[in-house]
Amino acid sequence: PIVPRNLRDGVFRGGSRPIDVYRRIYSGIPGGPMPALGGVTDKDGRPVVTEDDLWCLVHYVRSLGRPGEAP
């Protein structure tokens, strides 16, 4: 079984800077269970996740690792 990482620990594979988290979400983890979200389009060629959505997700994920702060 694949156990998801506990993001509340504040430990992120590949770095914890915003650009590091963005790259992980955008490119996924090759050979791992996390697929890439960047560049994925729907049947009409529109992005499934916009760049703004990716950055919002980056900030949310990083907020989970900050004890005492609500996400």
Side-chain angles (χ1 to χ4, degrees), residues 28-52:
I29 299 176
M34 184 173 160
L37 288 179
V40 177
T41 57
D42 65 13
K43 63 181 171 126
D44 297 321
R46 293 182 300 243
V48 172
V49 181
T50 67
E51 187 170 346
D52 285 342

Side-chain angles (χ1 to χ4, degrees), residues 26-71:
Y26 187 90
S27 301
I29 299 176
M34 184 173 160
L37 288 179
V40 177
T41 57
D42 65 13
K43 63 181 171 126
D44 297 321
R46 293 182 300 243
V48 172
V49 181
T50 67
E51 187 170 346
D52 285 342
D53 290 340
L54 284 172
W55 281 112
C56 287
L57 187 54
V58 165
H59 296 302
Y60 174 72
V61 166
R62 292 187 74 237
S63 77
L64 295 175
R66 297 185 193 132
E69 287 187 33

